[in-house]
Amino acid sequence: MDSTSKKTNKSLTLSKFLEELRGFILLDDLTKIGDSEKRTICRPEFGQLGLLFLRYFKNYKGGQFYITENQSDSYYYNLSYEKKEEFLSSIKHLDIPAFIICGKKPLKKEIELFKKYNFPLIYSYEKRIETINKIEIYLNFIFAEKKHIHGVLMDVLGIGILIKGKSGIGKSEVALDLLERKHRLVADDLVVAHRRSEFLIGYSLDSPYSHYIEARGIGLIDIRSLFGIQSIRHKKRIEILIELIKGDDIDYKEFDRIRVKSLYEKILGIKIPKYIIPVTYSKNLANLIEVIALAHIANIMGESPINSINESIAKSPKSKVNTSYIDTFYFISDNE
Amino acid sequence: MRKQFVVKNRHGLHLRPATEFVKLTSNYNGEIILKKDDVEVNAKSILGILSLGIEFGTKIIIELIDKDDEKFMDQLKAFFDKKE
């Protein structure tokens, strides 16, 4: 097992949520209940406000935000004070981390009401659609499935290439070779892969050593200071997986040399094209990886060598009598 | 085979202890995983260990994937118990 996986099953506290979103979206805690460290958000989606009004609590799962706006949720705003109180008391057993309110700022009386039933009320200075969008992006990032992979992630000609292999096989050396050819480093040794819908985003763990490479015989190399800012990148979509294997470990009887069938590996449920490269002496791995990236770009554009060979075979006439005649005639008449 | 350790080095696993640690783990013939919280790294890579930022008193878990080795675990225990 070269890499290890862990499904993130974590929850986020409300205080951390407010702190980390500061600067990204302007939020104001109106009620200031003061127990935001204990309140947890367990789900990256928002609750349905209408179901609360209907008092439909079947299959209710706690830990969701509710977003309201005074225009679209006019049902609530048209209620009388007593009815509002009745509504809040009917949902007070639910585990709701906070209500987020957009649009007009609520009155003091209303804030007191939420305080009484122990529901934090957070006011957003932005429009409802933008608030939802930004909070969703943040929550999806926090609750995304993550996996830590031992390997090197490089950006080669705009294609994110993850190089894997046993320790000591020469991953870091290949990365240095690629850096020499003006490609960019994303992460060495510890790559965090994180699923965003159908894509896999790779980056390095946030630490002072995030753009370092460790090569045997040299030690730690600070890529940013040696190769400049152009040689690093913070995150990149992982599109190709390359596995380096010792040349002696490969069974050439089973090794597919032409790649008639494409090889894939699933990472967090996403199929990534995989290439296995046997490592032997006198092999220029950086060059091979560059060619793989080029072939991948060509593949995206619809050019595949196997397809074009198949097409040309399909186009050629079945009987070869005529053509062979032309060929011989050509050779006879050609004086050169 | 997995075991939990507590780092007793006062400075944590910074550069020098990390190199010593990797020297030790390189002797083991097979895959080793070091785990802190929910992040797992290859215990033979210096950068992986350094980027975890392991401090004094951190609980870490070492997992031997390929074969069990009681003696090797004792060596690791002696390493983590070192105060300097």
Side-chain angles (χ1 to χ4, degrees):
Chain A
M1 203 171 75
D2 199 46
S3 52
T4 50
S5 79
K6 176 89 189 168
K7 206 172 177 179
T8 46
N9 214 351
K10 56 177 171 186
S11 55
L12 178 76
T13 59
L14 184 63
S15 56
K16 198 185 168 203
F17 168 82
L18 289 174
E19 197 185 298
E20 289 201 341
L21 274 185
R22 197 173 293 151
F24 186 53
I25 177 169
L26 208 59
L27 294 172
D28 193 1
D29 188 1
L30 294 178
T31 42
K32 292 193 177 60
I33 292 173
D35 61 346
S36 55
E37 271 146 34
K38 287 177 202 156
R39 289 178 186 272
T40 51
I41 303 147
C42 316
R43 238 158 284 283
E45 65 247 2
F46 298 105
Q48 303 256 335
L49 203 63
L51 292 178
L52 289 189
F53 293 143
L54 290 171
R55 293 171 179 67
Y56 182 81
F57 306 132
K58 208 176 161 187
N59 292 344
Y60 178 79
K61 289 172 188 153
Q64 287 171 317
F65 278 124
Y66 284 88
I67 287 207
T68 68
E69 191 184 40
N70 51 7
Q71 223 169 4
S72 58
D73 305 315
S74 56
Y75 174 83
Y76 173 78
Y77 287 92
N78 283 336
L79 292 176
S80 64
Y81 185 78
E82 287 76 30
K83 285 263 178 168
K84 278 179 185 171
E85 190 158 3
E86 197 190 317
F87 165 65
L88 283 177
S89 78
S90 75
I91 60 164
K92 70 178 175 197
H93 63 284
L94 298 181
D95 167 32
I96 296 170
F99 282 95
I100 296 170
I101 195 161
C102 318
K104 225 169 102 183
K105 226 173 184 174
L107 299 170
K108 217 170 193 180
K109 208 168 125 191
E110 207 151 307
I111 297 169
E112 287 302 316
L113 196 65
F114 273 85
K115 216 171 179 175
K116 188 176 160 193
Y117 288 99
N118 202 20
F119 288 125
L121 196 61
I122 293 163
Y123 179 71
S124 161
Y125 286 89
E126 290 188 44
K127 282 179 187 162
R128 179 189 157 98
I129 187 94
E130 266 165 33
T131 312
I132 289 179
N133 206 349
K134 284 183 176 176
I135 292 176
E136 244 172 13
I137 288 173
Y138 173 74
L139 290 182
N140 279 332
F141 174 76
I142 293 290
F143 287 95
E145 288 178 61
K146 278 175 195 143
K147 189 174 177 181
H148 301 100
I149 299 168
H150 177 62
V152 185
L153 181 59
M154 297 278 311
D155 168 10
V156 180
L157 298 166
I159 306 286
I161 293 188
L162 179 65
I163 305 162
K164 265 169 61 168
K166 284 188 177 162
S167 36
I169 198 146
K171 295 182 294 289
S172 303
E173 285 76 5
V174 172
L176 282 177
D177 233 354
L178 285 169
L179 280 168
E180 197 63 46
R181 291 162 183 250
K182 300 275 173 210
H183 301 300
R184 302 162 82 185
L185 174 79
V186 184
D188 183 33
D189 260 357
L190 180 61
V191 181
V192 187
H194 139 209
R195 188 183 166 150
R196 188 186 289 165
S197 69
E198 285 311 299
F199 298 127
L200 206 63
I201 311 288
Y203 49 90
S204 67
L205 213 63
D206 189 24
S207 81
Y209 302 99
S210 54
H211 287 118
Y212 276 64
I213 279 185
E214 190 244 327
R216 257 142 252 230
I218 306 175
L220 287 179
I221 305 160
D222 183 356
I223 296 303
R224 195 184 157 152
S225 72
L226 274 190
F227 290 85
I229 203 127
Q230 58 184 6
S231 60
I232 58 162
R233 215 188 142 134
H234 280 288
K235 58 182 179 185
K236 178 82 193 94
R237 202 170 98 209
I238 301 172
E239 283 159 282
I240 297 177
L241 180 72
I242 289 179
E243 189 157 0
L244 302 181
I245 289 184
K246 258 191 199 163
D248 319 329
D249 292 354
I250 278 193
D251 183 8
Y252 280 98
K253 281 175 195 158
E254 287 181 15
F255 190 66
D256 184 4
R257 287 185 51 170
I258 311 182
R259 279 179 75 86
V260 180
K261 260 189 201 165
S262 305
L263 203 63
Y264 290 100
E265 186 171 314
K266 269 194 173 177
I267 301 177
L268 295 176
I270 299 172
K271 267 165 96 184
I272 307 275
K274 183 180 176 183
Y275 293 77
I276 296 175
I277 301 185
V279 180
T280 45
Y281 291 109
S282 78
K283 212 171 220 189
N284 192 340
L285 287 173
N287 203 355
L288 280 178
I289 287 170
E290 246 177 7
V291 171
I292 287 174
L294 280 176
H296 185 77
I297 295 171
N299 225 336
I300 292 169
M301 292 175 170
E303 293 164 25
S304 145
I306 288 173
N307 284 353
S308 56
I309 288 171
N310 281 343
E311 268 171 31
S312 65
I313 288 172
K315 270 182 197 164
S316 68
K318 273 174 191 164
S319 65
K320 290 240 170 166
V321 185
N322 287 337
T323 50
S324 64
Y325 168 71
I326 291 169
D327 280 349
T328 43
F329 182 73
Y330 177 78
F331 275 111
I332 291 165
S333 66
D334 191 9
N335 291 327
E336 236 182 338
Chain B
M1 183 186 190
R2 51 164 59 197
K3 209 170 179 183
Q4 195 185 44
F5 297 98
V6 179
V7 179
K8 290 184 181 152
N9 190 320
R10 270 187 297 137
H11 307 289
L13 269 193
H14 62 98
L15 261 177
R16 216 170 316 112
T19 5
E20 265 174 47
F21 177 71
V22 171
K23 239 188 224 167
L24 201 63
T25 51
S26 300
N27 294 332
Y28 176 75
N29 205 355
E31 202 81 37
I32 313 181
I33 279 172
L34 186 149
K35 194 171 164 189
K36 180 201 164 196
D37 300 331
D38 52 350
V39 185
E40 297 181 9
V41 296
N42 187 327
K44 289 184 182 178
S45 95
I46 291 184
L47 270 180
I49 292 163
L50 285 177
S51 56
L52 287 182
I54 298 168
E55 290 168 359
F56 168 76
T58 314
K59 280 179 193 159
I60 55 170
I61 292 170
I62 300 268
E63 194 174 350
L64 305 182
I65 301 288
D66 288 338
K67 56 174 193 252
D68 293 356
D69 192 342
E70 215 45 77
K71 235 183 193 174
F72 180 69
M73 279 295 195
D74 291 342
Q75 280 179 27
L76 287 182
K77 174 108 181 64
F79 172 81
F80 285 118
D81 283 347
K82 263 193 257 171
K83 298 235 161 92
E84 282 289 323

